[in-house]
Amino acid sequence: MIDPLSVSAVAGVLGTIGSAMAGEAGKWAWESIGNLAQRVTGRQLAAPSGAEEREELARLLVEGARRDPAHAQALAAWLTGLADGESEQADAVPRLLPVSTRYFTDRKGPLAALDKEAGRKADGRPRQVLLHGPDGIGTSAVAIHWGGREAHRFPDGQLYADLRAGGPQGAADPATVLRRFLQKLGVPADQLPATVEDRAERFGQLLAGRRLLVVLDHAHSAAQMRPLLTAAPGVVTVITARRPLAGLDALNIPVGPLADKDARRLLTDLAGKHAVTAAKAALPGVLDRCAGSPFALRAAATVLGETAPRALAGQVFADPVEAATADRYARLAPNSASVYRSCALRRWPAIGPAAAAAATGLTEAEAAEALDELAAAGLLETAFDGRHRYRPAVRRHAEAAAIREDGLAACATAVRRTVDHYLRLAVRADYAALPQRWHLGPLYAELGPDGYPGEAEALAALGAELPNLVEAVGAAEEFAAPDLVCQLVEALWAVQLKAGRHDELLPALRAGARAASAVRPPVAARMHVQLALALTELQEYGEAEQQLVLAAEVEESDGHLRGQATAVETLGLLRLRQWRWAEALQCFDRAVGLLDGIGDGDSGQADLPRARALLARHRGRALRGLGRFEEARASIEQAVAFFRGTGEAYNTARALTDLVQTLIDQGHGAQALPLLDEAGVLLERGGAVFHLVPLAVLRSLCGGAGE
């Protein structure tokens, strides 16, 4: 058991909680530690930032625990609960490596170099390899084939990430990659560190004693790589890229074209010996055009019997991938060619039939058939969920074909239709995932929450489409359509509140804030508030406060009391995060006063009961921080009663969680247990699974009552 009187142990817990505030458990734990610090020291303390301040706070908590057995018991419960949570993560063994291609040919040199690097004696140097070569040459195939062949070297698993997926310039954000890696290694969503630096540190800690393979496919730059690298002696990291990456300290292994004999072998494996024999006269020309590119050879295998690929007649191509792509495109049916061109006009991370139908005007069934043809032709890659994406080189060809054949106006129309499809999808799902909230976008009244059986299903749909929705916001911004940007950003509210993923949302939220000056005040303020909430979760407190001040100024200038109250309320939530309980209470009381000024028929009047209930809950949290437990309990009970009455499961559960904490603070743990059970059922039913983690810790703080 961890010694509750160890300053280093307490400082370590503070660091763990402080880095995990992107999730509900981390936020709740951080606020609760602040409450404990207030009680132990008898004074209000500022939330620590940095190792030195955490060490000083740990010293104060340990001194208080030595003076008071009750404080020692509470501190021990915190440390033990968090340590138990860590121990549950130790056995996660990820198996993320894709299946290798059946027809893998040659590559003896790169494979031998990988064997040598993986097998060398540990000497302090990290085992990091960069496989590089032009698009379509097979660097990914080498990495995946070697990883599958050598799986016995890595009993603790394999991690894989395609770094093309989404993000600026088609490069995945390291924070997003680390989120997925940490979850696959067993870190609960609610305990994920907020910043990329803390995620990288946690990643390194988890890998320190493991024998594990990490494959980072299609790397963009050394800067993208750095947070994903580790010096753990049992870890081998294999990176693939189109070129050597300046500044990356790794063993560089070039992957070049297949030799003529290996190209013939691959072509024979793919097309069959009979087809190769029948095309004997044309074979030299085919091999010459393919130039040892596996991608081009796979394209040629399907049409080997033709004397000359039709797309190549009279044309000169820069590389064999471009030639093969053009040839495959020339053979497409009209509907498939239309989908091929229209879906390439943005970097959509995952293309499904509904989006393809929206872009082209085809029916969804026709679009699905076209996507299947494109995948069969090798012009689209298919993900595990059945949706598709382009290789970068193929997308460039498709985009150029769209501009050349359809014209800029038609291209813009296709993108706009696709963006509108994602907006309507997001509005319906957001409405169904959080139906009681205050909606501003005009489509909410028109569409409603149709199509989803419950909140969990709607939230899952939003989560699955989140990368596409972020890309849609970028497209709307490029169209100079601020109203469309803001409608899309508002429709991200439920996934922002209930699923976190603030780092993924941040580019869209920043676009919303940029668009705010061109839209009406309530919408503008909403954009600033949404960005501020994400910045708060990512611990960018200074910028978050600036956004909230802007939101309040916008609403005040418009005379919109409801929106002004929201901005002031959100500033109070920021103060809670900073353990500035008295200032938080002042914000909440000011927000209540603003709501009291809203008369019959004024904007926001219909939302007043719910707004007051939310503020009652937040006031209770601030009062608890000030040690005014009876007042806190009464205020939170008001919120619980309201949300129970309206059937709003999510906020009922969150208010119940606060009420349980207050009862524990008063020594009434046994009374809290039924409320914990109720909150757990409501959260699970609503799909907010990552909010369940705090309940287990609270149960341990009830003193074992009811067990």
Side-chain angles (χ1 to χ4, degrees):
M1 178 174 172
I2 296 174
D3 178 8
L5 301 185
S6 164
V7 173
S8 61
V10 176
V13 168
L14 291 173
T16 299
I17 298 173
S19 69
M21 282 190 290
E24 186 67 14
K27 289 183 286 186
W28 171 82
W30 187 250
E31 192 173 314
S32 297
I33 283 287
N35 296 157
L36 179 63
Q38 178 93 350
R39 295 197 304 275
V40 169
T41 63
R43 57 191 173 91
Q44 183 168 309
L45 299 172
S49 61
E52 290 186 7
E53 291 185 11
R54 289 196 297 269
E55 189 83 10
E56 175 60 20
L57 176 60
R59 185 184 61 77
L60 293 173
L61 289 171
V62 168
E63 288 176 355
R66 287 171 176 159
R67 291 192 302 268
D68 188 328
H71 292 159
Q73 184 178 6
L75 196 57
W78 273 106
L79 294 171
T80 303
L82 289 169
D84 289 345
E86 288 290 312
S87 66
E88 293 172 1
Q89 303 168 15
D91 296 329
V93 179
R95 301 291 184 190
L96 303 186
L97 197 67
V99 177
S100 177
T101 179
R102 178 177 179 83
Y103 299 114
F104 184 86
T105 305
D106 186 43
R107 305 308 191 188
K108 295 182 179 61
L111 293 174
L114 283 164
D115 287 339
K116 183 177 180 181
E117 179 68 7
R120 68 174 170 81
K121 185 177 180 180
D123 58 5
R125 294 178 297 159
R127 291 185 172 92
Q128 295 165 3
V129 175
L130 173 64
L131 298 168
H132 60 87
D135 194 30
I137 208 67
T139 53
S140 300
V142 172
I144 292 167
H145 181 81
W146 182 81
R149 192 189 74 178
E150 300 299 316
H152 62 278
R153 293 180 185 261
F154 307 108
D156 295 316
Q158 306 128 358
L159 293 170
Y160 172 87
D162 187 337
L163 302 179
R164 297 174 301 182
Q169 301 176 344
D173 178 30
T176 302
V177 176
L178 284 168
R179 166 191 285 277
R180 182 165 182 261
F181 280 0
L182 290 174
Q183 287 179 311
K184 294 301 181 180
L185 288 166
V187 178
D190 198 49
Q191 296 179 21
L192 286 169
T195 66
V196 67
E197 292 82 4
D198 287 333
R199 289 182 186 181
E201 181 180 353
R202 187 78 178 101
F203 183 58
Q205 291 169 351
L206 288 176
L207 265 56
R210 301 192 188 214
R211 294 168 60 196
L212 184 140
L213 172 66
V214 181
V215 176
L216 303 172
D217 209 0
H218 305 111
H220 181 72
S221 66
Q224 184 191 33
M225 291 294 93
R226 288 190 187 102
L228 307 174
L229 301 178
T230 174
V235 174
V236 174
T237 302
V238 180
I239 304 159
T240 76
R242 295 180 64 189
R243 65 192 187 283
L245 301 179
L248 182 66
D249 187 14
L251 174 66
N252 281 277
I253 302 176
V255 178
L258 291 172
D260 185 71
K261 67 179 180 62
D262 295 308
R264 287 173 181 267
R265 178 183 168 190
L266 178 58
L267 200 59
T268 302
D269 287 342
L270 293 167
K273 187 174 182 179
H274 177 76
V276 171
T277 301
K280 184 176 181 180
L283 192 58
V286 171
L287 292 172
D288 184 59
R289 285 192 301 271
C290 292
S293 165
F295 180 88
L297 288 162
R298 290 177 181 279
T302 62
V303 293
L304 192 58
E306 297 189 13
T307 56
R310 69 190 72 174
L312 298 183
Q315 298 187 48
V316 177
F317 295 95
D319 61 65
V321 171
E322 184 182 2
T325 300
D327 184 49
R328 294 185 189 195
Y329 171 63
R331 301 169 190 280
L332 294 175
N335 282 354
S336 300
S338 176
V339 169
Y340 174 75
R341 296 191 305 271
S342 298
C343 292
L345 295 165
R346 298 290 305 186
R347 289 189 181 93
W348 302 114
I351 303 165
T360 57
L362 298 172
T363 67
E364 198 164 326
E366 290 171 333
E369 185 178 351
L371 290 171
D372 287 342
E373 182 183 351
L374 292 170
L379 291 171
L380 288 178
E381 298 174 335
T382 305
F384 290 121
D385 64 1
R387 293 187 294 175
H388 307 278
R389 64 183 174 194
Y390 293 87
R391 282 176 165 271
V394 174
R395 195 189 77 83
R396 288 193 297 271
H397 173 270
E399 184 179 31
I403 295 170
R404 182 178 63 250
E405 298 178 30
D406 301 326
L408 291 175
C411 290
T413 299
V415 174
R416 185 63 181 255
R417 285 196 303 242
T418 311
V419 171
D420 185 64
H421 157 74
Y422 283 119
L423 172 61
R424 299 174 79 86
L425 180 153
V427 165
R428 287 192 178 96
D430 180 72
Y431 201 144
L434 202 60
Q436 297 90 349
R437 76 171 179 87
W438 177 34
H439 300 107
L440 293 173
L443 282 177
Y444 283 91
E446 175 188 334
L447 299 177
D450 294 341
Y452 297 96
E455 294 181 15
E457 293 81 1
L459 187 64
L462 280 169
E465 292 290 357
L466 183 56
N468 283 329
L469 294 171
V470 173
E471 180 66 20
V473 173
E477 187 173 33
E478 286 191 16
F479 276 125
D483 186 64
L484 184 58
V485 169
C486 294
Q487 287 188 66
L488 281 160
V489 170
E490 185 193 1
L492 298 172
W493 177 245
V495 73
Q496 180 179 0
L497 182 66
K498 298 178 77 172
R501 299 175 68 173
H502 306 287
D503 49 310
E504 294 175 75
L505 286 162
L506 197 58
L509 299 177
R510 289 196 183 281
R514 288 192 294 269
S517 61
V519 297
R520 56 194 177 94
V523 176
R526 174 69 62 83
M527 296 300 100
H528 291 303
V529 168
Q530 280 190 246
L531 176 56
L533 283 172
L535 291 168
T536 298
E537 304 307 339
L538 296 171
Q539 302 179 37
E540 301 288 345
Y541 298 141
E543 189 179 354
E545 185 168 346
Q546 292 171 8
Q547 292 295 324
L548 292 172
V549 169
L550 285 172
E553 289 175 351
V554 167
E555 298 287 21
E556 186 175 12
S557 65
D558 191 56
H560 186 228
L561 294 176
R562 176 66 186 91
Q564 191 178 352
T566 298
V568 173
E569 173 189 2
T570 310
L571 181 59
L573 295 175
L574 174 59
R575 296 294 182 241
L576 287 180
R577 183 69 55 83
Q578 298 169 307
W579 299 359
R580 294 158 66 172
W581 317 111
E583 293 173 62
L585 184 60
Q586 290 173 1
C587 288
F588 299 139
D589 286 342
R590 182 185 169 203
V592 170
L594 289 166
L595 294 181
D596 290 342
I598 298 174
D600 292 341
D602 289 346
S603 174
Q605 191 271 334
D607 188 53
L608 282 178
R610 183 175 183 275
R612 288 195 173 102
L614 287 169
L615 280 166
R617 177 195 165 216
H618 300 328
R619 288 188 77 256
R621 293 162 66 188
L623 288 163
R624 190 176 76 231
L626 292 169
R628 294 158 60 177
F629 299 127
E630 283 298 327
E631 295 174 77
R633 180 175 175 178
S635 189
I636 296 170
E637 284 176 340
Q638 291 178 29
V640 170
F642 174 84
F643 291 122
R644 274 178 174 161
T646 60
E648 191 171 341
Y650 176 72
N651 275 313
T652 302
R654 297 188 72 183
L656 283 168
T657 304
D658 292 320
L659 181 56
V660 165
Q661 177 68 76
T662 306
L663 289 168
I664 292 171
D665 290 339
Q666 293 181 295
H668 304 319
Q671 296 180 36
L673 285 171
L675 304 180
L676 276 174
D677 294 335
E678 181 184 356
V681 170
L682 292 171
L683 287 170
E684 192 164 9
R685 185 187 303 160
V689 179
F690 84 121
H691 289 263
L692 294 173
V693 179
L695 304 191
V697 182
L698 283 174
R699 191 174 296 277
S700 72
L701 292 171
C702 288
E707 293 183 359

